[in-house]
Amino acid sequence: MEKTKILIIEDEEAIADLLAYGLTKEGYLTQTAASGTEGLREMERFRPDFLLLDWMLPDQSGLEVCKKVTASYNIPILMITAKSDITDKILGLEFGADDYITKPFDLREVIARIRTILRRMAQANRSGSEEPENEVIRFKNIEIIRNERLVRKSGETVDMTPKEFDLLVKLCSSRGRIFTREELLELVWGYDYVGETRTVDNHIQRLRKKLDANDFITTVFGIGYKFEKDID
């Protein structure tokens, strides 16, 4: 069985070494990078299954790295940040991160977060493989190819972040069901981000804009959102 590969982009050598040591002891294969530029090179060379990404890097923002990674790779990202402001944390999630952890951190918590994210992804992959008939979802002029994580509108590819794609699939796979914002956070992001439901609203707004979806991704006032049932 191949080891899960984790790339650590962190410019503080002591923190990078601590993470690499702890994760290696847990059975993961690790690689470190001290800058965003080096980290993006390692993404191509090392081909990790998971990314630990520091928010503050010497050459570019971790958010910019996160954006570039999610545009080209479908891997989970755990951001490491010294920022405690809730707005900054939400911003990280909106740029495609799966979770965040604040410095100073306990190595045990980092490992637990990684395990939880990887377990959730494995469960989602198993669920998808059990329903091959649902690999392609079509409605109106939209086509969702689940196993390729691809969305087309009138035959043209629509650029989406991993979380936008997951949110769209979750909604349209349960047409007519009303999801609260808290449910969507737990189902798509994998955790209960208390008080951070604005990130769901922002993702919904972007989906509507990209797909002209105001008429089928609708707001249920005071509750949340749903994908309308009678959409062909």
Side-chain angles (χ1 to χ4, degrees):
M1 184 177 179
E2 291 187 6
K3 292 184 177 182
T4 298
K5 297 192 291 184
I6 298 179
L7 175 61
I8 303 162
I9 306 180
E10 167 61 66
D11 64 314
E12 293 187 50
E13 186 177 355
I15 294 178
D17 288 346
L18 171 66
L19 289 168
Y21 174 77
L23 292 170
T24 299
K25 284 192 66 177
E26 291 295 318
Y28 299 109
L29 185 62
T30 65
Q31 178 64 43
T32 62
S35 70
T37 301
E38 183 185 356
L40 291 171
R41 285 200 300 265
E42 288 297 332
M43 284 294 305
E44 181 66 26
R45 187 195 67 81
F46 186 55
R47 292 286 175 174
D49 304 300
F50 195 101
L51 175 60
L52 266 172
L53 175 61
D54 186 26
W55 184 297
M56 303 294 291
L57 295 169
D59 56 341
Q60 56 187 301
S61 166
L63 288 179
E64 286 301 313
V65 176
C66 183
K67 187 176 180 180
K68 292 172 184 176
V69 169
T70 55
S72 303
Y73 304 93
N74 179 35
I75 69 167
I77 300 172
L78 174 60
M79 293 203 73
I80 304 170
T81 175
K83 295 175 176 286
S84 58
D85 186 271
I86 197 67
T87 302
D88 289 328
K89 293 177 179 179
I90 292 172
L91 189 60
L93 297 175
E94 291 177 355
F95 268 63
D98 292 81
D99 196 9
Y100 58 81
I101 193 162
T102 305
K103 296 178 181 178
F105 54 76
D106 188 311
L107 181 59
R108 292 170 298 181
E109 183 180 1
V110 175
I111 293 169
R113 297 281 187 98
I114 291 171
R115 285 176 175 166
T116 299
I117 295 171
L118 290 173
R119 183 168 58 247
R120 175 169 54 85
M121 288 195 67
Q123 290 171 345
N125 290 337
R126 284 197 298 270
S127 176
S129 65
E130 291 168 0
E131 300 178 354
E133 70 276 9
N134 292 330
E135 284 184 357
V136 179
I137 302 172
R138 296 181 178 88
F139 55 92
K140 284 198 167 183
N141 61 337
I142 308 297
E143 182 180 54
I144 304 171
I145 306 171
R146 294 183 63 172
N147 59 348
E148 296 180 28
R149 297 185 67 84
L150 181 66
V151 178
R152 294 194 182 104
K153 177 186 173 187
S154 300
E156 298 291 328
T157 299
V158 180
D159 290 330
M160 288 196 170
T161 68
K163 285 293 173 286
E164 288 170 353
F165 181 88
D166 293 341
L167 179 60
L168 176 62
V169 169
K170 178 57 64 177
L171 288 168
C172 70
S173 296
S174 302
R175 299 186 186 188
R177 174 182 168 181
I178 300 171
F179 291 92
T180 67
R181 291 170 175 83
E182 290 78 11
E183 283 178 316
L184 290 172
L185 277 171
E186 184 174 355
L187 291 168
V188 175
W189 280 262
Y191 295 94
D192 181 15
Y193 292 105
V194 178
E196 298 180 25
T197 55
R198 195 181 71 180
T199 195
V200 174
D201 297 334
N202 291 339
H203 276 72
I204 291 288
Q205 289 173 17
R206 289 203 291 269
L207 282 178
R208 286 171 171 167
K209 184 176 182 180
K210 290 180 178 182
L211 301 176
D212 295 326
N214 286 326
D215 59 337
F216 52 87
I217 300 178
T218 58
T219 301
V220 181
F221 291 102
I223 304 177
Y225 298 99
K226 72 173 179 176
F227 192 101
E228 293 295 338
K229 202 168 186 177
D230 299 324
I231 295 294
D232 297 320

